[in-house]
Amino acid sequence: MSRAMNILLLQGGGALGAYQVGVYEALNRAGIRPDWVVGTSVGALNGALIAGGDTEHSLQRLEAFWEEIAQPGHSFGPQSDRMESQAARYMALTRGVPNFFTPRRPWSIPLLHPNGTLPGFYDTSALRATLNRLVDFDALGTRNFHDGIRLSVGAVNVGKGELTYFDSHHHSLNAEHIMASGALPPGFPPVEVDGELYWDGGLVSNTPLDYVLEEEQPGSNLPVNCYVVDLWHAAGPAPSTIMEAINREKDIQYATRAGQNVHFLKRIHALKAAIRTLSHHLPEEVRHTSQISEILKLGLQQPVNIVRLLAPVREQETAQKDIDFSWSSIVARRQAGHDDMTQALDICPCHKDPVSDDIGARVCSFRSNRDGQLVEES
């Protein structure tokens, strides 16, 4: 069997995206190079840093970005982690995040009446400059599977309320496409792309597994290894305070529907296998009729192997965990991502033992417990 096509799916989640840096670091160390990165919001941003340049320096680009936006920019030791986290959340709200976004002057915000500016509490022009400095958009893969790493980012058309994917396979991407994917209202203003306004893709789909399964794939004759990185937890305890309720609401709102998509994927592959089995029992003259031959084509498939990671919940997390850009939190999340993916690659033999055509689809879904050990999700 030929080598697999590697696809990396990165969910949105603000500061939680530091976990994805560690995941990519573990993949990189294992010699697994993504052929296609699909991201939403901070996943789109991390995806652009991974795909936008030579692969030898993709990890350095990720590290440079997260070092630049960290505040405080260093740690004062484990005993200060909680205080640093509180300070980072406060600074993000009141001063913004360096090289990312800054608060707009109160009188310039169209709170109740339009004033000719796009609605949003923060100015994200600093992010545009950062992306243009760190990302080589010309390096993104285009029509040919071997041109470079393909990048797809999800954004919502504000006027139509529809999810759109800006895809380097179809478009020439620039900083605006990445910023559109992360323009979460009402904090960030919508971003204009080709005369239309776009908001954060996570408003509709925060983990676009369905796009990967349905979209045209150069190299689709290859088996697929798909690495899905989730940052939010759909399941969790019932809240007992207002602040816990806000935190729980965020988790439910932005948690992936990848679990549902995975079950759907398994069902589709089972149906495809049934079609192939049925074809063996049909007379030759029946199989070659136009209507039946079209049906039998639906049974054709390449094997798909999904490795899904769910980022761990850190102690004393709050509803503002996605704006905790403290250096200590970034380092801790990155380390967790690295450790989790390293363990996952040992447990789930995706790159060593690709899925056979007979199996069709295999899913390894993991989350780490409080001891840092991976537990398989049902």
Side-chain angles (χ1 to χ4, degrees), residues 306-372:
I306 293 180
V307 180
R308 180 182 171 218
L309 283 183
L310 181 58
V313 177
R314 300 186 67 215
E315 290 185 10
Q316 301 173 331
E317 279 189 343
T318 73
Q320 296 176 333
K321 57 192 173 187
D322 52 338
I323 58 170
D324 176 8
F325 290 96
S326 64
W327 180 246
S328 57
S329 293
I330 289 173
V331 169
R333 293 192 189 282
R334 173 180 174 176
Q335 188 63 51
H338 174 271
D339 294 346
D340 287 356
M341 182 51 83
T342 300
Q343 290 187 66
L345 292 176
D346 287 337
I347 298 171
C348 189
C350 50
H351 59 296
K352 307 174 195 172
D353 179 25
V355 188
S356 71
D357 294 338
D358 294 332
I359 296 175
R362 177 174 57 196
V363 179
C364 300
S365 186
F366 303 104
R367 61 177 176 82
S368 58
N369 59 24
R370 292 190 177 276
D371 295 327

Side-chain angles (χ1 to χ4, degrees), residues 57-117:
H57 297 92
S58 51
L59 183 59
Q60 288 94 318
R61 289 191 295 272
L62 282 169
E63 291 172 334
F65 173 77
W66 286 90
E67 287 174 8
E68 289 181 11
I69 66 173
Q71 59 174 356
H74 60 280
S75 175
F76 293 93
Q79 71 281 357
S80 303
D81 285 357
R82 186 174 181 181
M83 180 185 67
E84 292 170 21
S85 175
Q86 292 173 339
R89 298 195 301 268
Y90 175 77
M91 287 190 288
L93 288 171
T94 59
R95 296 169 46 187
V97 173
N99 301 297
F100 199 158
F101 61 89
T102 54
R104 296 168 66 180
R105 298 179 185 276
W107 55 86
S108 69
I109 300 172
L111 192 59
L112 298 175
H113 305 286
N115 62 7
T117 63

Side-chain angles (χ1 to χ4, degrees), residues 1 219-224 269 272 300-304 356-357 360-361:
M1 180 179 289
S220 58
N221 58 318
L222 302 176
V224 172
H269 276 265
K272 287 176 178 287
L300 300 176
Q301 66 176 357
Q302 289 301 319
V304 177
S356 71
D357 294 338

Side-chain angles (χ1 to χ4, degrees), residues 151-227:
L151 176 67
S152 307
V153 299
V156 176
N157 186 301
V158 176
K160 299 175 182 176
E162 296 176 353
L163 183 63
T164 298
Y165 285 93
F166 301 119
D167 191 328
S168 66
H169 181 54
H170 305 295
H171 314 93
S172 295
L173 302 189
N174 56 39
E176 271 62 37
H177 296 100
I178 312 304
M179 294 171 65
S181 182
L184 184 64
F188 296 165
V191 176
E192 183 176 340
V193 177
D194 297 331
E196 305 228 38
L197 296 178
Y198 291 89
W199 270 334
D200 193 305
L203 295 176
V204 173
S205 175
N206 208 22
T207 304
L209 181 58
D210 51 349
Y211 179 73
V212 167
L213 299 177
E214 296 171 4
E215 173 60 15
E216 175 192 0
Q217 298 178 12
S220 58
N221 58 318
L222 302 176
V224 172
N225 286 337
C226 189
Y227 303 90

Side-chain angles (χ1 to χ4, degrees), residues 6-23:
N6 297 314
I7 304 176
L8 180 60
L9 266 66
L10 302 177
Q11 195 182 64
L16 307 181
Y19 180 83
Q20 297 168 348
V21 180
V23 168

Side-chain angles (χ1 to χ4, degrees), residues 286-298:
V286 174
R287 280 193 280 133
H288 287 289
T289 61
S290 58
Q291 186 176 15
I292 297 300
S293 63
E294 286 301 313
I295 293 174
L296 296 183
K297 286 179 183 177
L298 298 175

